[in-house]
């Protein structure tokens, strides 16, 4: 998939928003299954975010 730098930044911002929402949910009292599910989802989103950030760095020329 070929995404523009603007599209990648938009997706990264959306991922940041969702990661923060997951982290807020983790600060509340949850059962072990919910904590495990949210933690796994958060880690997955963070990995995707990292990959997209690397793509963005390679697409945006440094001046």
């Amino acid at each position: 998939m070929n995404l523009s730098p603007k599209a990648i930044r938009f997706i990264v911002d959306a991922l940041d928003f969702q990661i923060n929402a997951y982290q807020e949910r983790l600060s509340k009292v949850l059962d072990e299954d919910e904590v495990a599910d949210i933690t796994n989802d958060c880690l997955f989103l963070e990995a995707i975010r990292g990959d997209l950030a690397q793509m963005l760095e390679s697409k945006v020329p440094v001046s």
Side-chain angles (χ1 to χ4, degrees):
M1 183 179 336
N2 191 10
L3 298 171
S4 69
K6 183 176 180 177
I8 295 171
R9 281 191 294 273
F10 183 82
I11 295 167
V12 167
D13 287 345
L15 289 171
D16 286 339
F17 181 83
Q18 187 60 49
I19 290 167
N20 287 332
Y22 281 150
Q23 290 171 344
E24 280 185 33
R25 284 186 64 196
L26 285 174
S27 68
K28 298 177 182 170
V29 178
L30 304 170
D31 66 38
E32 287 182 35
D33 289 336
E34 283 180 298
V35 169
D37 289 343
I38 292 171
T39 300
N40 289 337
D41 290 347
C42 193
L43 290 172
F44 183 61
L45 290 181
E46 288 172 346
I48 293 170
R49 188 205 181 285
D51 290 345
L52 288 171
Q54 286 179 344
M55 284 176 56
L56 186 59
E57 288 175 13
S58 69
K59 286 187 174 218
V60 177
V62 177
S63 44

